[in-house]
Amino acid sequence: PPPNSRSDWIGPPDKHSNLRPVIFYVPPEESPLERRLREARQEAQACNQRFWAQQNRAFRQEKEEFIYSRLKAKGLEIRDDTGKKATLNAEEMADFYKDFLSKNFRKHMQYNRDWYKRNFTITFLMGQVALVRALRWLRWKKKNV
Amino acid sequence: MSAARRCRPPRAMAGLFVWHLKNTGIRQVPCQFVHLCRAANDRLITFQYFNFLKRMYVTQYNKDLSQRAKPKSDSVASPFRELQQLDQEKKVIHKISPISPVHQPLSETSSRNELREMASAAETEDSVALVRAESKDDRQWKEMKLRLDDLPGILARLSKIKLTALVVSTTSAGFAMAPVPFDLTCFLLASLGTGLASCAANSINQFFEVPFDSNMNRTKNRPLVRGQISPLLAVCFAASCGVPGIALLTLGVNPLTGALGAFNIFLYTCCYTPMKRMSIANTWVGAVVGAIPPVMGWTAATGSLDAGALLLGGILYSWQFPHFNALSWGLREDYSRGGYCMMSVTHPGLCRRVALRHCLALIGLSTAAPVLDVTTWTFPVISLPLNLYISYLAFRFYRDADRSSSRKLFFCSLWHLPMLLLVMFTCKKSFLEKEGKSDLLGGNHGRAVEIGLP
């Protein structure tokens, strides 16, 4: 994002977490309320990034391991004669999906609760900031009229 | 004259097909429509719009939206997109040109194959072009500033406007089936109120699900995920749609409809959305969410919750299961990675059993319709082949449990519902008949006295 921009910028999805990173603009005369909002958003972003990057990485890794072990059990190699990677069909993968979901259930519950709380806090702070800014703008208009 | 009549609907149908194909690339069954044309020519033309919206509804489902929601059909609707999510309007334009030459021979089975091939060819080129455009767009950093001219498009995507349109069309189906004289203002108020309530519920759903949506292919292009709109604005929009919507229903129609609307919003946003990640029971909740709009349409017309309303709700409830379960079968990987608790992942056997069970229930419910005085006895007879076909596909899905049978069942459910509701409407029992008149409605003769839209 250009250095003289006065707004936040959002980027392309991250490779690991699929979330889009946001670069927050810090205005020179940032009020404490606005700072709290920005910090809450940064924290939520970092937390989300951590969680999803780790989840996706674990998923990919465990999927590879599962495919490898199943292929070995069937007596096949990871790569077949043409050099392409051998894959299992959806039915065989179903066991893995079920397993992965149940293993990570508690982690997801915890993340859910966390995410909902953060989401509400951030939105509420946004509301407060918007209200304060609106009042300030009204006061400025009254002064200049 | 009748020949001319017969020509028009197929062309219109082709338009529908094209649009529909764009969205799902499914195989249409033009033949069925031609049959239907012969069955109820004039009424069919009136219901083009109705049918069209219905299609959008079924197509749009995603449970994740799936939902079903009406508003809420999100649940069913959301997961629905197993192909790439291409919900950009340009696609329609691209699609229509390659497919238009195939208009004429609609009634032949060979045309079906042509249509299919052209559709898939057109779709692959379009999808490639669009994906390229999208990914280039995606890789850039964007300023998070709200542009006013983008706002209508953003709000439309936020409120899942197509899904909302389908929800409204199920509500109008409920309204139309009610055994009372048609009241236009009431109809419009009910539709508008339901539409607003649905927009509100869909917006709140997207507000809750931002990080999950970004990880699933189907939903990663939503406005909140892309940062095109702030969460605060999304919530304000939801409030500004929901409050007037429910108020309109309560004050302009009747309190019962308003209460049902508010309850449905609550069920969708506060029960279904969180439950998606907690337990597989979310599918049942989502099915209820989907069943309520036609009930709302009925109560808007009559003011009371009769057996007919519950029957319509029951039909939609049962329909949700084959639709959603078949859809979710292909999305198991995304659900597992995203942490969604769906039957197809955790209890695959149950998933298929439930789909089959509810297809059979549809047969039972269709038979119950004349018993409850909602339709004439022609309805179970005409709908039997439809219901048997979907039950057969559900049985194949149950037995084979593979991707192809799930796709077949899903695509069948897409046209099964609009067809069923259309047939139901044409077999609707005239309230005059109920008063002892011996005129047979049957649905074949355009009697002005019959219920019906103006």
Side-chain angles (χ1 to χ4, degrees):
Chain A
N4 56 348
S5 155
R6 293 202 51 172
S7 49
D8 302 333
W9 283 71
I10 191 165
D14 177 80
K15 215 166 21 128
H16 301 292
S17 68
N18 295 319
L19 301 173
R20 288 170 184 262
V22 178
I23 292 188
F24 298 97
Y25 167 68
V26 190
E29 47 334 292
E30 193 183 39
S31 71
L33 188 65
E34 287 175 359
R35 205 189 71 234
R36 260 176 57 204
L37 171 63
R38 182 175 52 85
E39 284 173 358
R41 290 172 77 187
Q42 278 168 330
E43 213 185 301
Q45 186 173 280
C47 180
N48 279 348
Q49 172 75 18
R50 261 198 316 269
F51 179 80
W52 286 106
Q54 195 254 343
Q55 268 298 102
N56 291 342
R57 198 178 28 239
F59 186 80
R60 260 195 292 270
Q61 207 173 330
E62 289 182 29
K63 186 174 173 188
E64 287 296 322
E65 285 170 11
F66 178 80
I67 292 181
Y68 182 67
S69 66
R70 277 294 169 94
L71 283 176
K72 240 170 69 164
K74 289 212 291 197
L76 300 166
E77 284 301 317
I78 278 286
R79 283 176 198 279
D80 61 18
D81 303 321
T82 62
K84 269 197 354 219
K85 265 180 113 165
T87 50
L88 299 172
N89 68 25
E91 303 322 310
E92 294 166 326
M93 293 305 298
D95 290 328
F96 167 66
Y97 297 143
K98 179 170 175 182
D99 216 29
F100 188 81
L101 190 65
S102 35
K103 264 206 320 227
N104 288 285
F105 183 71
R106 291 197 55 216
K107 235 197 287 181
H108 277 292
M109 286 291 97
Q110 176 62 31
Y111 172 73
N112 265 16
R113 264 194 294 268
D114 206 39
W115 158 250
Y116 270 60
K117 251 195 303 196
R118 279 186 212 269
N119 202 18
F120 280 126
T121 320
I122 289 175
T123 311
F124 185 66
L125 282 171
M126 277 184 172
Q128 280 183 310
V129 166
L131 201 64
V132 162
R133 284 207 192 128
L135 288 172
R136 208 185 304 157
W137 179 81
L138 277 170
R139 236 177 285 140
W140 176 86
K141 274 227 88 176
K142 239 192 349 194
K143 211 173 7 156
N144 285 15
V145 154
Chain B
M1 202 265 280
S2 63
R5 273 253 179 84
R6 226 175 289 145
C7 286
R8 258 187 289 140
R11 211 167 299 142
M13 291 299 183
L16 295 179
F17 290 160
V18 164
W19 209 99
H20 197 40
L21 283 165
K22 146 211 176 285
N23 273 333
T24 61
I26 74 183
R27 280 93 83 158
Q28 287 307 326
V29 272
C31 306
Q32 306 235 1
F33 279 88
V34 177
H35 288 172
L36 216 49
C37 276
R38 294 201 198 99
N41 15 24
D42 37 350
R43 209 155 292 144
L44 197 59
I45 296 173
T46 326
F47 293 123
Q48 293 307 334
Y49 182 58
F50 180 64
N51 225 8
F52 173 61
L53 287 182
K54 279 264 172 59
R55 289 224 162 178
M56 281 175 37
Y57 170 56
V58 281
T59 335
Q60 269 298 81
Y61 266 108
N62 177 31
K63 174 103 174 294
D64 276 337
L65 7 355
S66 61
Q67 323 160 263
R68 338 340 339 258
K70 313 296 198 100
K72 325 165 173 212
S73 336
D74 179 61
S75 53
V76 184
S78 31
F80 128 5
R81 231 37 107 84
E82 58 185 85
L83 314 170
Q84 302 96 35
Q85 240 356 10
L86 304 169
D87 36 39
Q88 319 212 356
E89 292 83 59
K90 346 188 190 147
K91 273 200 315 183
V92 187
I93 307 173
H94 289 172
K95 276 264 155 86
I96 294 192
S97 21
I99 301 201
S100 43
V102 198
H103 272 188
Q104 301 323 329
L106 265 186
S107 31
E108 340 227 39
T109 31
S110 57
S111 69
R112 237 199 292 173
N113 298 325
E114 284 173 33
L115 208 60
R116 209 180 303 165
E117 282 162 21
M118 293 200 74
S120 41
E123 190 174 69
T124 33
E125 350 171 322
D126 286 343
S127 39
V128 167
L130 270 153
V131 167
R132 241 183 276 135
E134 263 179 18
S135 53
K136 235 197 301 192
D137 214 27
D138 257 0
R139 271 185 248 124
Q140 298 173 342
W141 279 80
K142 294 250 175 66
E143 194 177 359
M144 277 178 94
K145 203 193 202 106
L146 186 64
R147 282 176 195 81
L148 280 177
D149 38 343
D150 285 342
L151 194 62
I154 292 176
L155 289 181
R157 275 196 299 264
L158 186 68
S159 62
K160 296 193 221 170
I161 196 88
K162 293 181 209 154
L163 185 61
T164 301
L166 288 164
V167 171
V168 170
S169 66
T170 35
T171 307
S172 43
F175 194 96
M177 290 301 300
V180 289
F182 183 77
D183 178 1
L184 186 64
T185 33
C186 190
F187 175 73
L188 291 174
L189 287 176
S191 304
L192 184 62
T194 309
L196 288 173
S198 167
C199 288
N202 286 331
S203 309
I204 297 284
N205 178 58
Q206 290 200 18
F207 165 72
F208 280 159
E209 302 258 288
V210 177
F212 312 114
D213 282 347
S214 24
N215 272 282
M216 293 190 52
N217 276 319
R218 196 169 51 84
T219 51
K220 63 186 179 190
N221 285 316
R222 289 187 171 169
L224 279 171
V225 172
R226 292 170 91 175
Q228 291 171 319
I229 193 175
S230 78
L232 178 69
L233 209 55
V235 174
C236 289
F237 173 69
S240 63
C241 280
V243 171
I246 299 297
L248 192 65
L249 287 176
T250 318
L251 303 170
V253 180
N254 60 52
L256 178 61
T257 315
L260 281 174
F263 176 65
N264 214 9
I265 295 184
F266 166 75
L267 208 59
Y268 184 61
T269 56
C270 303
C271 296
Y272 172 68
T273 303
M275 269 179 93
K276 280 203 290 195
R277 313 185 56 82
M278 291 201 275
S279 121
I280 59 171
N282 64 70
T283 313
W284 282 267
V285 173
V288 174
V289 171
I292 289 186
V295 177
M296 280 169 69
W298 183 291
T299 58
T302 63
S304 66
L305 212 55
D306 326 303
L310 295 176
L311 176 79
L312 265 181
I315 287 184
L316 248 89
Y317 176 82
S318 284
W319 176 83
Q320 307 286 346
F321 290 99
H323 179 77
F324 179 63
N325 287 354
L327 173 65
S328 68
W329 198 258
L331 296 172
R332 284 179 287 180
E333 172 164 1
D334 271 355
Y335 283 153
S336 166
R337 190 164 53 87
Y340 283 106
C341 294
M342 301 296 179
M343 269 196 279
S344 58
V345 182
T346 55
H347 296 77
L350 177 70
C351 178
R352 299 187 325 264
R353 266 201 311 276
V354 163
L356 180 61
R357 228 187 280 160
H358 282 271
C359 281
L360 298 173
L362 277 174
I363 300 181
L365 285 169
S366 304
T367 325
V371 173
L372 295 172
D373 260 356
V374 177
T375 64
T376 60
W377 279 96
T378 39
F379 176 61
V381 173
I382 300 184
S383 66
L384 192 65
L386 285 175
N387 291 332
L388 280 179
Y389 183 61
I390 199 175
S391 304
Y392 166 69
L393 288 180
F395 176 70
R396 291 288 302 274
F397 177 49
Y398 174 71
R399 203 190 48 188
D400 302 338
D402 62 358
R403 193 174 168 78
S404 78
S405 52
S406 71
R407 280 175 67 117
K408 280 209 201 99
L409 179 60
F410 172 69
F411 287 141
C412 173
S413 73
L414 293 181
W415 56 258
H416 170 268
L417 182 70
M419 197 88 85
L420 191 71
L421 288 173
L422 194 63
V423 170
M424 194 181 216
F425 185 82
T426 57
C427 297
K428 177 179 171 183
K429 208 170 211 172
S430 156
F431 60 94
L432 286 177
E433 186 180 325
K434 283 194 269 215
E435 292 169 14
K437 288 246 161 81
S438 56
D439 300 296
L440 225 214
L441 194 54
N444 281 341
H445 313 286
R447 295 245 178 98
V449 89
E450 288 171 352
I451 1 59
L453 295 179

